[in-house]
Amino acid sequence: MVALPSGTVTFLFSDLEVSTRLWEQHHDAMVGARARYFAIVDDAVASAEGVVFSHAGDGVAAAFISAPDALRAAVTAQRFLVEELWGETGALLARMALHTGEGVVVGEDQYDSQPLNRCARLMGVAHGGQLLVSGATAALVSDALVDGVNLSDLGEHRLRDLARPMRVFQVLAPGLRSEFPPLASLDAFPGNLPLQTSSFIGRAREIDRTSSALLDARVVTLTGVGGVGKTRLALQVAAEALPKFRDGVWLVELAAVRDPDDVSDAFATVLGVTPRGGVSLEEALIDSLGTKQLLLVVDNCEHVLDAIAALVEEITSTCPGVMVLATSREGLALEGERMIAVPSLASPSADAAFDAIVASDAVQLFVDRAVAADADFGLTPLNAEAVADVCRRLDGVPLAILLAAARVRSMSPEELASALDRRFDVLAGGRRRAVKRHQTLRATIDWSYDLLDEAHQRLLARLAVFAGGCAREAAGAICVGGPIEARAVLGLLSDLVDRSLVVAERGGAETRYRLLETIREYGEERLSGEEAVALRDAHARYYAEYTRRCAKGLESTERIAWGTRMIADSENMLAAFAHAVDTENLDLAVRMLEATPPWSQQIAHQVSFPVDDVMAMPGVEDHSSYPVVLVVAATIADRRGEGVRARELADAALEVERAASTPPCYEIDIVAARWFIEGLVMSSAGLNDDAAAAYQEAANCFRTTDKFIAGRCLGAAASSLCFAGHQAEAVSVATEAVALERDSGIPVDRVALSALAIALAPKDPQRARALLVEAMQDDGKSNYGEALQLVLAAAALGDWALTAQLAMASIPLLQWVNHRPFLHVALSMTARALAEADAEAAATIQGTAHALAMSFTNIALGEVSAPAGRPPTNRGALITDIRHQATEILAANLGADRLHELRDRGASMDTDSAVAYAMTRLTASRAATPA
């Protein structure tokens, strides 16, 4: 037997794509074909001085001392696989991946699992015929590339069960295919699954049981005590199942929901659903999920059990494509529900041998977390029994184990076992065998808490006031006092992170600190009534001011950073607003509403406060800032499609302000807001000339006071003029908008830039393209309106490949917010983008777009009319012209009869199916387009 290389090792993993289907259809032929596949890969590995250490199923695993040798072997193997004549089975396509890591040999013929897991996960996101390398391997081979071999940087990707994103490169080489669909990483699928910050250990049986249950039942509930690992197991199963759900996997966290009436709001926030006129939020939610195929992971149900059970029952009874994986300390009691009790991790027996201790899931978890706390820690025959004893005494409860493991920095395993023994004797009244798992978990937290000094204890308890975690600044502002000094907060937080009592999330620009739910509840119990009230008051005051700071930051050179902060703290902002309403603190609630004017620059998912709650508060009509409340209410009404109501509220705001006996002291310009809301309403109704006029009136209010907002208003006006076909006027208005925004010193927003690009496209396409490129900077941070503007700018330039690319980014955003008019436009542009390359798909999508237009046009135009004395005006010349272009091309390529047949097919699709079809065809078109 050849010895396995150790030290820095490059691993090669290879597997056959769609081999299951091939085995079912060509079993006999596949026996010989697999043998040839193994021989090709094995020979390539041997020729590069590598060692094959595993053949499992249709997979091959090999190890190399030299990364360049590993790359040479992989390229050679892929080339021979391409050139081989496969016969009955057809070509066998192999997914391959290379990753370099520390090769620790365990026994004589296997490696420690960590680098192997990373290589396997990397291979899992590849496509047949594709060769990927990790960033670690790329760094070692980049200076040794020969024979036309190159690396293409595919960026960072989140891979299932990996704690950190991995930078991924594709190998380009003569003789190998170079174009593939997007990688099948977590980023490639819709959803909001969080990045896991720790490895997943054990639970193979529970994963299989849960995955199997999801094949047979619409609702699966993982039950168990707090800290047993229900959430982590659910997230792992969901990540594995992600490719099976067309519309993705969505996590709904209920830990911060205290009122059962707010359960629907939690779902709606995650799924981007807002109520419409005459329709409740729950009805809008059910409607949005109607034909989707997705998995909802609903976490922490036990404290709102009746409310969540009722909602899940309604969803699953009316939405056949939606499945639910819930976590709760008890079942939902629904018909057909499959409950799976999550046990503690298996611990070794008192007389277990060293090999059995090493193989125990509980011990593996302890060792993994202990190494994270102290890199010098290792499991040895000398300390193994003590570690096993700790795991047994903790009943294998994962949270208890990680809390104990965090102490290895200051205590040996023997000392840990002894301390736990004494502590449990006290807590269990001397009857250790009577300690139940929940009591054991509480004992473990009590024990960890008692080991803290007073300052650490108070900070841990006070952190329970935050919803969804917080940044250090917030902790310092709200939690100081008594034993906690402001200058000591960072050190105290770091200590609590080291003890695994606080989770530090370092994915963004600033570290956020979060309590696990079990510990958060424990912290709440440690707060006295007076202290809890004072903390909630301080929390509300802080986040009211922070919301205002974020709003100002959105109008600065750091717009993206402030927008990201606002999204990260949206739960805290909503909690602060709810506290203001609950305590009837009208001033505080109105201050928060002031941060959401109609021209808000928020990015991605907007933070929207329930203004109806404030409208119902005592004394609101007498408040000096009542016009602000009316303006925000008008903005929300427009989003709901209630144009007439939006106008009435905006007019009322102006009337109240003019009737005031004292000058206003708030920050929103009510006159400007009235005109901007008029623009929104007219734009939604398709009355573009009137919308442009209203936006220009709004801009006039800001020309001397706020150049950036003036430019923002003019950008919206220019966009409406473009849609109306007034290109020359649009150029003039958009040019002024861009100039005003640039003169303000704030980066120009996408609306103004793309509007100018659209207006200039017919006569100055080179400048228009430069503006579009500028508007595309920091792509991925757009809101849905800006994303659509980019699509329209690319379409105006006639760049159909770019139009298709941008449509892929905008359509999912528009689908989830259920903005049917904008989605109709995006699909119309998609049809034109695909008209020449994929005519049948384009005709089908055009039929869907037309059906969508018919579904909303009558409502929009029937409700809102142009201002008195004006006839209805042009409703969209640019979009209409592009749609006509597509029709002419499709009629010429398909013939009238086939075109009508395909359009009818598209019109018969429901919206979600049509969107899924469009995204599939866009993906295929992108893969077929040469780089």
Side-chain angles (χ1 to χ4, degrees):
M1 179 181 296
V2 179
L4 297 180
S6 60
T8 301
V9 176
T10 298
F11 296 95
L12 163 63
F13 274 47
S14 176
D15 192 16
L16 291 178
E17 186 178 56
V18 298
S19 62
T20 301
R21 176 176 57 80
L22 292 174
W23 277 103
E24 291 176 352
Q25 297 177 353
H26 309 286
H27 183 274
D28 292 339
M30 274 297 292
V31 173
R34 182 174 64 176
R36 278 185 285 152
Y37 154 69
F38 280 164
I40 288 172
V41 177
D42 289 359
D43 289 344
V45 170
S47 69
E49 302 184 19
V51 178
V52 173
F53 62 91
S54 175
H55 286 134
D58 297 325
V60 181
F64 300 79
I65 296 175
S66 163
D69 286 347
L71 177 61
R72 177 161 54 89
V75 171
T76 299
Q78 286 285 30
R79 283 172 173 164
F80 278 110
L81 290 172
V82 170
E83 295 169 2
E84 181 73 8
L85 299 177
W86 294 101
E88 180 181 342
T89 64
L92 296 189
L93 300 177
R95 305 176 296 171
M96 291 188 183
L98 298 173
H99 173 62
T100 303
E102 184 70 11
V104 178
V105 179
V106 181
E108 295 182 351
D109 59 352
Q110 65 183 43
Y111 284 99
D112 178 69
S113 62
Q114 186 176 36
L116 304 188
N117 288 342
R118 297 188 73 80
C119 195
R121 292 306 189 190
L122 179 58
M123 181 191 69
V125 303
H127 300 278
Q130 190 173 31
L131 171 56
L132 302 178
V133 301
S134 68
T137 302
L140 296 174
V141 303
S142 58
D143 292 332
L145 299 174
V146 295
D147 299 329
V149 176
N150 286 294
L151 301 180
S152 174
D153 189 351
L154 303 184
E156 287 195 336
H157 288 264
R158 295 191 303 151
L159 309 184
R160 297 184 192 94
D161 195 31
L162 296 189
R164 304 180 306 279
M166 178 185 285
R167 193 154 199 96
V168 179
F169 296 77
Q170 178 182 321
V171 177
L172 305 176
L176 302 187
R177 178 181 166 192
S178 60
E179 295 295 329
F180 297 90
L183 299 183
S185 61
L186 293 181
D187 306 284
F189 300 97
N192 67 337
L193 287 182
L195 179 67
Q196 297 306 304
T197 58
S198 60
S199 56
F200 188 79
I201 293 174
R203 299 294 195 195
R205 179 172 178 270
E206 286 73 32
I207 288 176
D208 289 342
R209 289 181 62 204
T210 308
S211 299
S212 297
L214 285 171
L215 297 175
D216 301 324
R218 297 279 306 287
V219 180
V220 177
T221 303
L222 302 179
T223 63
V225 299
V228 81
K230 301 183 295 294
T231 299
R232 188 68 176 87
L233 174 60
L235 294 176
Q236 184 67 21
V237 171
E240 296 289 350
L242 190 54
K244 300 176 183 177
F245 293 91
R246 181 190 71 201
D247 296 307
V249 176
W250 298 86
L251 172 64
V252 181
E253 296 177 299
L254 299 178
V257 176
R258 289 290 171 265
D259 188 341
D261 293 337
D262 294 336
V263 167
S264 294
D265 295 82
F267 278 72
T269 297
V270 169
L271 300 175
V273 175
T274 55
R276 305 188 299 275
V279 177
S280 71
L281 180 60
E282 183 170 329
E283 290 171 332
L285 177 64
I286 299 297
D287 183 61
S288 74
L289 292 172
T291 56
K292 287 186 169 63
Q293 294 179 8
L294 54 78
L295 174 65
L296 290 173
V297 179
V298 188
D299 192 32
N300 288 306
C301 299
E302 55 272 359
H303 58 299
V304 286
L305 204 59
D306 291 341
I308 192 63
L311 181 58
V312 168
E313 184 174 40
E314 180 68 14
I315 289 173
T316 53
S317 64
T318 56
C319 308
V322 178
M323 303 180 72
V324 175
L325 176 58
T327 73
S328 178
R329 297 186 185 182
E330 59 182 299
L332 305 184
L334 297 177
E335 184 177 353
E337 176 188 17
R338 181 75 60 84
M339 288 192 294
I340 297 177
V342 180
S344 296
L345 294 173
S347 300
S349 62
D351 58 353
F354 178 69
D355 288 345
I357 293 174
V358 171
S360 161
D361 286 347
V363 171
Q364 288 184 16
L365 177 62
F366 182 96
V367 172
D368 181 84
R369 300 306 190 263
V371 170
D374 182 0
D376 294 331
F377 179 85
L379 188 69
T380 69
L382 296 177
N383 65 18
E385 288 188 12
V387 171
D389 190 26
V390 169
C391 293
R392 279 195 307 275
R393 299 292 176 84
L394 297 178
D395 286 341
V397 177
L399 177 56
I401 290 172
L402 69 90
L403 288 170
R407 304 301 300 169
V408 301
R409 186 178 294 176
S410 57
M411 303 174 74
S412 70
E414 292 79 5
E415 290 171 322
L416 272 173
S418 177
L420 285 174
D421 193 16
R422 292 191 302 272
R423 178 60 64 178
F424 285 175
D425 281 345
V426 173
L427 292 174
R431 296 185 297 114
R432 182 176 304 114
R433 292 183 180 179
V435 177
K436 296 184 178 180
R437 288 193 171 95
H438 183 68
Q439 293 171 319
T440 301
L441 175 62
R442 176 169 294 282
T444 305
I445 302 175
D446 278 336
W447 168 65
S448 295
Y449 185 84
D450 290 344
L451 288 175
L452 302 174
D453 62 27
E454 185 183 5
H456 286 92
Q457 288 179 344
R458 298 323 308 146
L459 180 58
L460 181 67
R462 292 173 185 177
L463 288 173
V465 75
F466 294 99
C470 66
R472 177 171 60 88
E473 176 192 305
I478 296 170
C479 298
V480 295
I484 303 173
E485 298 180 7
R487 60 185 176 84
V489 168
L490 177 58
L492 295 173
L493 282 170
S494 299
D495 291 343
L496 292 173
V497 170
D498 289 343
R499 289 165 171 77
S500 293
L501 291 167
V502 172
V503 177
E505 298 174 330
R506 299 182 176 89
E510 59 183 357
T511 300
R512 292 183 62 79
Y513 299 92
R514 177 177 58 85
L515 297 181
L516 296 176
E517 176 58 18
T518 302
I519 296 179
R520 194 196 63 75
E521 291 180 3
Y522 182 91
E524 281 187 331
E525 293 177 2
R526 290 283 181 168
L527 293 174
S528 66
E530 291 182 0
E531 185 179 17
V533 171
L535 278 170
R536 292 189 182 99
D537 287 343
H539 177 275
R541 290 193 302 272
Y542 175 85
Y543 279 103
E545 174 59 22
Y546 191 72
T547 303
R548 189 193 68 80
R549 286 171 56 196
C550 286
K552 290 295 183 182
L554 289 170
E555 299 171 9
S556 72
T557 56
E558 299 179 348
R559 175 189 176 224
I560 300 300
W562 279 105
T564 302
R565 292 187 185 104
M566 196 166 193
I567 293 169
D569 268 311
S570 59
E571 290 185 48
N572 279 313
M573 293 175 181
L574 291 170
F577 187 85
H579 182 74
V581 173
D582 291 343
T583 58
E584 298 186 353
N585 191 333
L586 185 58
D587 287 334
L588 204 63
V590 172
R591 280 170 54 196
M592 299 188 78
L593 288 178
E594 272 192 276
T596 60
W599 45 79
S600 173
Q601 284 284 89
Q602 291 187 44
I603 65 173
H605 297 94
Q606 296 214 339
V607 179
S608 181
F609 300 114
V611 66
D612 291 345
D613 292 346
V614 180
M615 295 279 283
M617 290 178 72
V620 65
E621 294 182 1
D622 299 322
H623 195 280
S624 60
S625 294
Y626 183 48
V628 172
V629 179
L630 292 171
V631 162
V632 176
T635 305
I636 300 301
D638 174 72
R639 292 178 191 167
R640 293 172 177 168
E642 301 169 359
V644 171
R645 177 64 174 160
R647 269 180 166 177
E648 290 173 348
L649 289 166
D651 287 341
L654 191 57
E655 182 178 344
V656 170
E657 182 182 72
R658 287 173 174 169
S661 57
T662 57
C665 58
Y666 38 80
E667 297 182 16
I668 293 179
D669 185 316
I670 301 300
V671 175
R674 166 64 184 82
W675 282 114
F676 198 89
I677 290 167
E678 174 76 12
L680 292 173
V681 172
M682 303 310 290
S683 178
S684 296
L687 304 174
N688 289 299
D689 283 337
D690 298 302
Y695 287 134
Q696 286 175 303
E697 290 290 350
N700 289 337
C701 298
F702 291 111
R703 287 182 187 277
T704 59
T705 59
D706 193 325
K707 293 181 179 179
F708 180 77
I709 297 300
R712 173 101 171 140
C713 296
L714 287 178
S719 181
S720 294
L721 290 168
C722 287
F723 298 154
H726 306 312
Q727 305 304 116
E729 186 178 357
V731 169
S732 176
V733 173
T735 299
E736 184 183 2
V738 172
L740 282 170
E741 291 187 5
R742 284 186 171 143
D743 193 37
S744 74
I746 300 171
V748 183
D749 74 331
R750 291 176 174 82
V751 172
L753 286 170
S754 53
L756 184 53
I758 294 169
L760 288 170
K763 294 185 177 180
D764 193 350
Q766 185 173 357
R767 186 181 171 209
R769 182 173 294 277
L771 289 164
L772 176 56
V773 169
E774 183 180 351
M776 288 170 61
Q777 298 302 311
D778 292 319
D779 196 23
K781 299 297 185 182
S782 301
N783 58 43
Y784 60 84
E786 292 171 328
L788 180 62
Q789 279 283 109
L790 298 177
V791 174
L792 289 169
L797 283 165
D799 188 335
W800 303 116
L802 182 57
T803 301
Q805 175 188 331
L806 293 170
M808 287 185 70
S810 71
I811 287 174
L813 285 172
L814 299 170
Q815 179 192 22
W816 282 106
V817 298
N818 196 30
H819 201 307
R820 298 170 76 82
F822 281 12
L823 184 57
H824 150 256
V825 173
L827 290 173
S828 294
M829 299 304 100
T830 298
R832 174 60 187 92
L834 297 178
E836 291 160 313
D838 192 350
E840 297 215 346
T844 305
I845 294 168
Q846 194 178 60
T848 296
H850 181 71
L852 268 175
M854 293 301 98
S855 74
F856 68 76
T857 298
N858 291 337
I859 297 174
L861 300 183
E863 182 184 358
V864 177
S865 60
R870 294 188 198 168
T873 58
N874 196 312
R875 294 191 171 95
L878 172 68
I879 298 165
T880 302
D881 288 347
I882 291 175
R883 188 167 59 242
H884 288 166
Q885 288 178 29
T887 300
E888 291 176 3
I889 295 169
L890 294 173
N893 290 340
L894 298 171
D897 292 342
R898 181 60 174 163
L899 174 58
H900 288 303
E901 178 186 346
L902 291 168
R903 277 180 167 177
D904 289 343
R905 179 191 299 174
S908 67
M909 290 182 179
D910 61 81
T911 302
D912 292 327
S913 297
V915 165
Y917 176 79
M919 293 297 288
T920 299
R921 299 316 307 162
L922 284 166
T923 300
S925 173
R926 184 176 182 181
T929 303

